[in-house]
Amino acid sequence: MKAIQISAERQMNVVEIDKPVLGAGEVMLRMNYVGFCGSDLSTFLGRNPMVNMPVIPGHEVGAVIEEVGEGVPDSLQPGMVVTVNPYTNCGKCASCRNRRVNACEHNETLGVQRNGAMREYMVLPWEKIIPADKLDVRTCALIEPMSVGFHAVSRAEVTDIDVVMVIGCGMVGLGAVVRSALRGATVVAADIDDEKLALAKRMGATYTINTLTEDVHARLAEMTGGFGPDVIVEAVGSPITYQMAVNEAAFTGRVICIGYAKTEVSFQTKFFVQKELDIRGSRNALPSDFRAVIHYLERGTCPVDELISKVVTPEEAHDAMCQWAEAPGKVFRILVNLG
């Protein structure tokens, strides 16, 4: 069967691999759409230290159940539209012991530490299959990245009395915008791209700030009566945005960190103490976050077409990644149509 493989820096090819064999307790999926995410771009550019090369990328899945093995619950049937929880958990580490399996110390994400979903067929344990039968299969490829933003909002314990600033309006950041708005918060979307900011406003942001052209501190003071945001979600992974989050958060505010900074970040640590900040990491997502995203998408109000920058064939994937690398800020999601 056909698969996409990244073998080295900027080397991506379509390869032939064996079709997997279905076992007991497993589900065989026919992959329809799989999204490229930022980690896949980093792998393609040779900048992902967590990846084991060569690797089949992809963990943002829209698929149909092809076949189920012995012992699979009746709730999963051939023909169902599904997505996938792409993380593993060991069941033994501190995170698993605390039931925060999304942050398992030994997690292996599809397309990073193990081969991913950009192949025609894939077999997974039934526990990792998430039904989404009310959605079309293409939309299902957007569930996982949005769930990461939803999870960050849960980590922040956002309520309707909060002002939430989301820095970075890519797919993950937009997930945080949507979830915060659904919880009744006042949402401030921040980015360097006006088109992304306009989309963030349509998806629930009350205010927007272009951090390149506007005075961020002055705008936030105006919006919050001088207090600053109660919650800031960092969804970029840049030293500048990490520092902005700490500097601009309200006293006793919560800073939620999603983005991986590629270099060291220096802070004025006095703000940690003076403001008594809660600084929390947010990693991956829990099954409840997936369900929440599916519930949101079922409403039909999400501008799905605007979140999909391009749909390509496996043979077109290499050129699409090269184009994304040239203009990373202009892409939400590239989906690969695997048939």
Side-chain angles (χ1 to χ4, degrees):
M1 68 176 185
K2 187 182 297 185
I4 295 172
Q5 185 183 72
I6 301 174
S7 55
E9 181 179 336
R10 291 184 178 268
Q11 297 295 314
M12 178 185 290
N13 299 289
V14 178
V15 298
E16 286 291 326
I17 63 173
D18 293 336
K19 184 177 178 179
V21 177
L22 184 67
E26 294 181 329
V27 174
M28 181 177 291
L29 300 180
R30 177 69 170 93
M31 296 297 171
N32 288 66
Y33 293 92
V34 179
F36 279 120
C37 78
S39 65
D40 296 319
L41 180 61
S42 294
T43 299
F44 179 70
L45 296 175
R47 301 172 185 169
N48 190 343
M50 296 183 290
V51 73
N52 295 320
M53 300 278 268
V55 68
I56 297 171
H59 56 257
E60 302 175 359
V61 172
V64 174
I65 295 177
E66 180 82 3
E67 189 178 354
V68 298
E70 182 181 352
V72 172
D74 291 340
S75 57
L76 298 175
Q77 294 290 333
M80 290 181 65
V81 172
V82 300
T83 191
V84 166
N85 182 331
Y87 324 119
T88 64
N89 59 284
C90 68
K92 300 177 181 179
C93 70
S95 298
C96 291
R97 183 179 61 186
N98 292 328
R99 298 185 180 179
R100 288 164 63 178
V101 295
N102 58 295
C104 174
E105 181 180 355
H106 306 293
N107 168 64
E108 294 184 349
T109 299
L110 288 175
V112 185
Q113 295 92 347
R114 57 188 174 132
N115 280 324
M118 287 198 179
R119 58 179 97 180
E120 292 182 88
Y121 294 93
M122 190 169 192
V123 166
L124 290 166
W126 72 263
E127 294 91 344
K128 296 300 181 181
I129 309 302
I130 302 173
D133 240 9
K134 294 181 182 179
L135 300 178
D136 68 84
V137 71
R138 188 187 67 154
T139 299
C140 286
L142 304 179
I143 293 171
E144 191 276 342
M146 292 194 76
S147 73
V148 177
F150 271 49
H151 182 70
V153 173
S154 294
R155 289 282 292 139
E157 301 177 276
V158 169
T159 73
D160 58 334
I161 63 172
D162 288 321
V163 176
V164 179
M165 179 185 186
V166 179
I167 307 176
C169 294
M171 277 294 298
V172 171
L174 287 176
V177 167
V178 168
R179 186 58 161 162
S180 297
L182 289 172
R183 290 190 174 201
T186 299
V187 183
V188 182
D191 202 281
I192 62 174
D193 187 283
D194 286 332
E195 292 181 12
K196 288 186 175 181
L197 291 172
L199 182 56
K201 197 155 192 179
R202 292 198 295 279
M203 295 180 71
T206 307
Y207 304 104
T208 62
I209 300 176
N210 187 314
T211 58
L212 275 183
T213 61
E214 298 182 78
D215 185 326
V216 175
H217 183 76
R219 287 292 314 283
L220 288 173
E222 175 189 340
M223 295 168 186
T224 65
F227 290 109
D230 304 285
V231 173
I232 298 186
V233 177
E234 199 290 329
V236 176
S238 159
I240 293 173
T241 51
Y242 262 88
Q243 291 162 353
M244 181 187 297
V246 170
N247 293 347
E248 299 298 341
F251 274 64
T252 67
R254 289 100 74 196
V255 175
I256 310 302
C257 306
I258 308 176
Y260 281 93
K262 304 300 188 294
T263 58
E264 292 185 0
V265 184
S266 298
F267 293 103
Q268 292 288 338
T269 56
K270 67 177 183 179
F271 288 141
F272 294 14
V273 178
Q274 285 181 349
K275 294 185 178 182
E276 200 174 56
L277 294 177
D278 287 343
I279 301 176
R280 306 176 185 178
S282 182
R283 182 183 176 196
N284 301 332
L286 287 165
S288 58
D289 301 307
F290 282 83
R291 292 197 302 271
V293 172
I294 291 169
H295 182 66
Y296 162 66
L297 291 172
E298 286 175 351
R299 297 181 177 194
T301 58
C302 180
V304 169
D305 290 341
E306 296 183 62
L307 300 179
I308 299 172
S309 304
K310 184 180 293 188
V311 178
V312 300
T313 66
E315 290 76 15
E316 295 168 333
H318 179 272
D319 288 346
M321 290 294 274
C322 289
Q323 292 167 13
W324 189 10
E326 293 300 316
K330 291 296 183 181
V331 171
F332 281 107
R333 272 304 174 271
I334 296 171
L335 303 187
V336 178
N337 183 350
L338 290 155

